[in-house]
Each structure stands twice: as C-alpha cells, then as structure tokens.
Amino acid sequence: MMVPVRCFTCGSVVAEHWEEFEERARDGDEDPAVVLDELGVDRYCCRRMLVSHTDLVDVVSPYQ
C-alpha cells in the first residue's frame, strides 16, 4: 500500500492523518468531510488529496 506523504499542491504533510482517515472514512461508517474536520485538515487541496487517493499497488502488481 502506498501512503500519500505530502499534498501535491501545497506540500503539507498528510501522512500523519492517512491511517485514521482510511479506517474511519473508507468503511462508510462516517462522512469523510466530518472525519477530515475532526483530524484538523482544513485546506481544500489536502482534503481533496486524501479523499481522492486510490491504492493501485494491488492492481498494478498482482503477484507478490
């Protein structure tokens, strides 16, 4: 799995929020916007990066 380390637009570190966001928002239990608000991610570019990130490692390299 590839973790987004920095926001592509502003360069802010987003890796510290990735695991909690992934656990809470991707399961569909909570609204992603509410999770990002609680994590303190305020900038639009960082929020967009976390919401739109897709792990492609399993798709690109199916043989481990």
Side-chain angles (χ1 to χ4, degrees), residues 21 24-25 30-41 47 51:
F21 175 75
R24 293 173 59 188
E30 296 184 53
D31 182 25
V34 173
V35 174
L36 290 171
D37 287 340
E38 291 176 0
L39 292 175
V41 180
R47 293 170 76 96
V51 170

Side-chain angles (χ1 to χ4, degrees):
M1 171 168 70
M2 294 181 71
V3 176
V5 177
R6 291 189 174 271
C7 176
F8 294 134
T9 306
C10 70
S12 178
V13 179
V14 294
E16 60 192 20
H17 305 295
W18 175 250
E19 286 185 25
E20 187 171 354
F21 175 75
E22 180 73 18
E23 289 175 5
R24 293 173 59 188
R26 297 294 173 157
D27 294 337
D29 296 337
E30 296 184 53
D31 182 25
V34 173
V35 174
L36 290 171
D37 287 340
E38 291 176 0
L39 292 175
V41 180
D42 298 328
R43 298 182 120 196
Y44 171 77
C45 58
C46 298
R47 293 170 76 96
R48 176 187 46 83
M49 169 128 181
L50 288 170
V51 170
S52 65
H53 179 73
T54 304
D55 290 325
L56 296 176
V57 173
D58 296 333
V59 175
V60 175
S61 62
Y63 307 105
Q64 296 181 4

